[in-house]
Amino acid sequence: MEHCDGEIPAKRSKLSDGGASKDRLSALPDDLLLQILLKLVDTAVAARTSVLSCRWRRLWTLLPKLWFYPGTEPLGIRTAVESHEDTALHYLDVDLLDGNPESVAVWIPIAARRLSGHLDLVNTVEQHGSEDKAGEIGAFELPCFEIATSIHLELGYLGMAVHPLGVFARLADLNLTCVQLHGPCMLGEAVSSPRCPSLQRLIVHGARGLGNFTVQSESLKRLMLRNVHGLEQLTVIAPALLCLSVICCFNSSENQPVANISAPELVILLWSDDYDPRFTQLGKMENLQQLSTNPFLVYGQYSYLQKSVNSYTMKLLRHFQLIQNLSLGLIYPPEITNHEYLMEDITRLPKIAVMILHIYPNRHSFGASLFHLLSMCTGVRKLTLKLDCTTSHPVIIISLLCLFHTLVCIYISWRS
């Protein structure tokens, strides 16, 4: 028994020593270890693995993707980005909480030189009303990302100025959301072909400080402008543009907005904004396949306001002789008592091949409005109705039951 008792601890000791002397995880190839670190989706956590052994000390600096969350010191972001060799960094994701221009300026010039892929910078404004103050505390300068391919900035109206020099040679996708623009360099100049020769998609959403936007691009294919506050002059010269969206950009302008669009290859147009053919020139759009407009207000209490909105829709539709695919909305207010019926303002429509009607009935019967609209569209080959409501409401059930009868009446009127 003594002999056995003496041998067992010895065996256990050998097993313990043997297990500790072999680091099987560190023996894995770099590619596999990097995949393990990428699963952490947190650069700070990945960096802490450097204490495991000499093998891990510099391993995290080879990561092609870096993630930084609120609370990360700006100098820490700068150090991590500097640790990468040129073009080795393919993805950089930085989340800020109530950030300021100085904290961004510490690391973004280094990122501009090292990043060869995608930048995602999101500044979350926690305090109510801080968005209005964010643009008043200065601005950071967005340097030229010569080798980056896509940039997404959601800044919570943090001030930003674009550097006036340099070429974004590989940039194909740019998304600017909630940006307060500063500086002498115009955004349109920065995103036009001389400085962005590869740009294909541009989104500007909720921008301020962009009263004049002029873009001339040979490569641009998709352009979306949404809630661009105070936009007064828009010029787009883009021979390769396929899709254009202009949504709620001119209605906050104090002066008469002016727009000049030259996009002969345009296929999709979403224009949900003011439109006056005297000041808005759309040019020739012979390849246009799909048009979406402002919704039409069926009833109005303050008739001048509602009629103005409806007039923009009607003027835009009259610009075209033939619309292959039209998406149009009909909106009913919750209360229609003492409201003027506005559907009779629609007296003429262009030829329409396919129509998608989005109806927001607000528990009102919509058969009469539908009949009035469709009676002017005798060339429609396909009709799609989309109701924003629950079909369990009695008025909607009645409307649906009457829909077949309405369509039969329209068909008879067309045939006669």
Side-chain angles (χ1 to χ4, degrees), residues 1-15:
M1 290 294 294
E2 293 180 359
H3 179 72
C4 292
D5 291 342
E7 285 184 345
I8 292 174
K11 290 181 179 180
R12 287 177 178 172
S13 177
K14 289 180 180 180
L15 289 171

Side-chain angles (χ1 to χ4, degrees), residues 137-148:
I137 59 175
F140 72 90
E141 186 174 70
L142 181 69
C144 178
F145 284 74
E146 294 184 356
I147 55 177

Side-chain angles (χ1 to χ4, degrees), residues 185-414:
C185 179
M186 304 293 287
L187 177 63
E189 177 186 343
V191 299
S192 293
S193 283
R195 295 192 60 192
C196 274
S198 302
L199 188 64
Q200 295 188 19
R201 189 177 78 146
L202 173 61
I203 297 175
V204 182
H205 183 191
R208 297 173 180 172
L210 190 63
N212 185 340
F213 183 57
T214 299
V215 56
Q216 301 183 45
S217 176
E218 300 292 330
S219 59
L220 191 62
K221 294 182 178 180
R222 296 181 178 274
L223 173 61
M224 171 187 274
L225 304 175
R226 186 182 186 120
N227 295 326
V228 179
H229 305 281
L231 183 63
E232 295 184 350
Q233 186 167 347
L234 172 64
T235 302
V236 178
I237 302 175
L241 191 66
L242 300 176
C243 180
L244 171 63
S245 299
V246 179
I247 306 169
C248 299
C249 295
F250 297 129
N251 49 18
S252 62
S253 177
E254 296 180 358
N255 300 317
Q256 174 61 53
V258 177
N260 192 339
I261 311 297
S262 176
E265 297 299 321
L266 197 69
V267 175
I268 300 173
L269 174 62
L270 195 169
W271 192 281
S272 185
D273 216 316
D274 295 7
Y275 176 83
D276 189 327
R278 296 174 299 174
F279 306 102
T280 302
Q281 304 297 321
L282 295 181
K284 293 183 178 180
M285 298 181 177
E286 297 177 351
N287 297 302
L288 190 69
Q289 296 294 317
Q290 182 175 332
L291 174 66
S292 298
T293 72
N294 270 323
F296 196 89
L297 307 177
V298 180
Y299 286 88
Q301 186 174 20
Y302 304 100
S303 299
Y304 176 76
L305 178 61
Q306 283 86 8
K307 285 190 175 186
S308 295
V309 175
N310 288 347
S311 70
Y312 298 141
T313 300
M314 298 312 302
K315 289 176 182 177
L316 178 61
L317 293 178
R318 290 169 188 159
H319 176 79
F320 302 95
Q321 294 182 349
L322 172 64
I323 301 175
Q324 293 292 341
N325 190 318
L326 174 64
S327 181
L328 179 65
L330 297 180
I331 295 182
Y332 288 74
E335 177 59 51
I336 62 175
T337 305
N338 297 324
H339 284 52
E340 183 180 357
Y341 184 63
L342 304 178
M343 288 299 295
E344 294 178 356
D345 292 342
I346 303 178
T347 58
R348 180 171 59 88
L349 289 174
K351 294 180 180 179
I352 301 169
V354 177
M355 179 182 288
I356 302 174
L357 275 179
H358 302 263
I359 302 178
Y360 307 85
N362 251 316
R363 300 189 174 187
H364 298 296
S365 176
F366 54 85
S369 300
L370 181 63
F371 182 85
H372 178 81
L373 188 65
L374 296 182
S375 62
M376 301 184 186
C377 305
T378 58
V380 172
R381 299 196 307 268
K382 180 180 178 181
L383 172 66
T384 301
L385 295 180
K386 296 186 178 182
L387 303 181
D388 184 48
C389 59
T390 57
T391 57
S392 60
H393 192 273
V395 172
I396 303 305
I397 293 175
I398 294 173
S399 294
L400 292 174
L401 291 174
C402 295
L403 179 58
F404 178 74
H405 178 263
T406 301
L407 294 177
V408 169
C409 292
I410 293 173
Y411 175 76
I412 294 174
S413 67
W414 287 350

